[in-house]
Amino acid sequence: MRPFEQIVTEHGPMVLRVCRAVVGPQDAEDAWSETFLSALKAYPDLPADANVEAWLVTIAHRKAIDVVRAAARRPTPVDALPERPARAGRPEDWDGDLWRVLKALPDRQRRAVAYHYLAGLPYKEIAALCGGSADAARRAAADGVRTLRTTYPSPTDQRGVTRS
Amino acid sequence: MTASDPRTGRLFTALPVQDDPAMARLHERLVERARQEGVLDVAYRTLDTPVGTLLLAATAQGLVKVAYAVQDHDAVLRQLAGSVSPRILSAPARLDDTSRQIDEYFAGRRTRFELPLDWRLSTGFRREVLRHLCDIGYGRTESYAQVASAAGSPRAVRAVGTACATNPLPLVVPCHRVVRSDGSAGGYAGGADAKHTLLALEATP
């Protein structure tokens, strides 16, 4: 079995991207921390032939839900206006504009997009995680990406100009 | 893994694939949480010394493994994952005291290590031999035959050689102080040069 340190080095950055895309800059690091602490505890029992990436994304999926629920219970009101970029986390970490458009997607689409395009999970496994069929997961990812292409300005676009 | 479609991949360029400051922050937080919850079974770090880079690994009981670079640190960590626990993280702070004492030893300011040791990686007669080695003082040497007698089995000279060769805690448990009866240094896990360096250091007044 590989030392857990190697799991963190190899897969930590991917899980952080997924957490950032699913829960946003403010809660991403909490979700990552909960994911890897939970993974460390369970690691000795992981079967030798397990797909480590899929295993980590499964844990991250559950922890992201927990973290968002806990955040919703916090007394601090969360800015709900999609027009204002959520830069409440660490603004240097990544572009708040991307989170603004990701956040506007239905949860199902945002997760399907993150798990497929950032974690490389097949649609069948995304369906096992999120419920529904593989085809439904494929459609959710495709719909999500289509919306992102129309709402997220590409780096060459002028800020504030929306492509149609 | 990136998206197969480059247009889609470009959507996520704002999300860094590798964010080193964030990973460093998160790693530190993971080590701290794991320590609090008692699930960090093996902490390790590397330390640069005059005999090369040493790998130092500790359990909650104490120092469990010291390895020279020639022993292949990655391979040693994989062995620890199998023999102790795969819950292994780089956690240099857990080995601050060990590192300080080793630095002092190489600076000639320490002749004895005062560290909790976890002996689990040696058993039986080998462990008896290694425990006896701790009684061979700084700057002194014993022959393999002398060690065999001291361990209660005068004829087990070869077994003493094996115990020294498989010492999980070289340097700290001073197998480098065991030499051949003809006075030549004999083998060493860290290589002959490392053994000479340590014996020369300890021979310096």
Side-chain angles (χ1 to χ4, degrees):
Chain A
M1 195 158 212
R2 287 182 297 165
F4 193 74
E5 177 71 25
Q6 215 177 319
I7 304 298
V8 178
T9 308
E10 278 177 26
H11 305 293
M14 176 276 286
V15 174
L16 182 58
R17 277 187 108 199
V18 168
C19 289
R20 282 172 166 171
V22 171
V23 300
Q26 178 142 22
D27 296 318
E29 297 196 7
D30 284 347
W32 189 99
S33 294
E34 295 299 332
T35 299
F36 273 87
L37 184 66
S38 177
L40 174 63
K41 289 177 183 171
Y43 186 57
D45 300 321
L46 185 70
D49 60 348
N51 176 341
V52 175
E53 281 171 326
W55 174 66
L56 289 170
V57 172
T58 303
I59 301 173
H61 171 73
R62 295 196 200 109
K63 295 300 175 186
I65 292 171
D66 293 348
V67 163
V68 170
R69 278 187 191 141
R73 284 195 298 270
R74 280 202 298 262
T76 319
V78 174
D79 186 356
L81 296 174
E83 286 77 22
R84 288 170 56 185
R87 294 198 177 271
R90 291 168 175 266
E92 74 276 19
D93 285 346
W94 61 288
D95 183 3
D97 288 344
L98 177 59
W99 172 236
R100 187 167 49 82
V101 294
L102 280 167
K103 193 181 176 185
L105 293 180
D107 284 354
R108 198 179 179 77
Q109 291 184 15
R110 187 169 64 253
R111 289 184 183 129
V113 166
Y115 300 160
H116 185 71
Y117 290 101
L118 300 179
L121 243 59
Y123 292 117
K124 195 176 154 214
E125 298 203 30
I126 296 172
L129 268 184
C130 304
S133 66
D135 277 344
R138 186 194 309 275
R139 277 196 302 277
D143 290 348
V145 161
R146 195 178 311 115
T147 306
L148 288 179
R149 284 210 188 103
T150 56
T151 56
Y152 181 59
S154 80
T156 51
D157 286 340
Q158 289 295 315
R159 184 169 287 263
V161 176
T162 307
R163 289 183 298 172
S164 54
Chain B
M1 181 153 181
T2 52
S4 48
D5 168 13
R7 263 185 81 204
T8 309
R10 271 201 296 278
L11 276 175
F12 303 107
T13 49
L15 271 176
V17 171
Q18 190 73 37
D19 183 345
D20 292 335
M23 285 308 302
R25 188 161 70 227
L26 288 167
H27 189 282
E28 200 173 320
R29 192 167 154 189
L30 176 63
V31 166
E32 181 55 23
R33 292 281 303 277
R35 190 190 62 78
Q36 282 169 2
E37 303 210 13
V39 289
L40 175 49
D41 295 339
V42 181
Y44 75 89
R45 67 163 288 168
T46 54
L47 180 70
D48 291 330
T49 74
V51 289
T53 304
L54 296 178
L55 175 75
L56 310 172
T59 65
Q61 283 80 54
L63 189 65
V64 73
K65 182 76 186 175
V66 175
Y68 284 92
V70 293
Q71 293 173 291
D72 185 351
H73 291 168
D74 286 342
V76 169
L77 287 170
R78 278 196 302 276
Q79 286 157 15
L80 289 173
S83 57
V84 180
S85 164
R87 287 174 179 154
I88 298 178
L89 287 174
S90 162
R94 280 267 293 264
L95 290 140
D96 274 352
D97 196 31
T98 306
S99 305
R100 186 179 48 79
Q101 292 196 23
I102 291 175
D103 283 340
E104 289 168 357
Y105 168 82
F106 281 110
R109 288 186 277 113
R110 173 172 290 276
T111 58
R112 200 175 177 85
F113 292 104
E114 289 148 330
L115 295 167
L117 302 180
D118 183 337
W119 291 94
R120 79 175 77 190
L121 296 178
S122 72
T123 54
F125 181 68
R126 291 184 190 177
R127 190 186 289 199
E128 290 305 310
V129 170
L130 296 178
R131 282 189 183 279
H132 166 73
L133 298 188
C134 296
D135 299 331
I136 308 176
Y138 184 90
R140 288 177 45 226
T141 57
E142 280 187 13
S143 69
Y144 291 95
Q146 283 173 305
V147 173
S149 296
S153 304
R155 291 164 59 174
V157 179
R158 286 187 72 90
V160 168
T162 306
C164 291
T166 57
N167 176 8
L169 297 162
L171 184 66
V172 173
V173 172
C175 61
H176 59 276
R177 293 177 195 153
V178 185
V179 296
R180 292 205 181 116
S181 303
D182 64 6
S184 66
Y188 189 55
D193 287 348
K195 190 166 187 173
H196 280 296
T197 303
L198 298 179
L199 292 173
L201 169 76
E202 296 189 10
T204 309

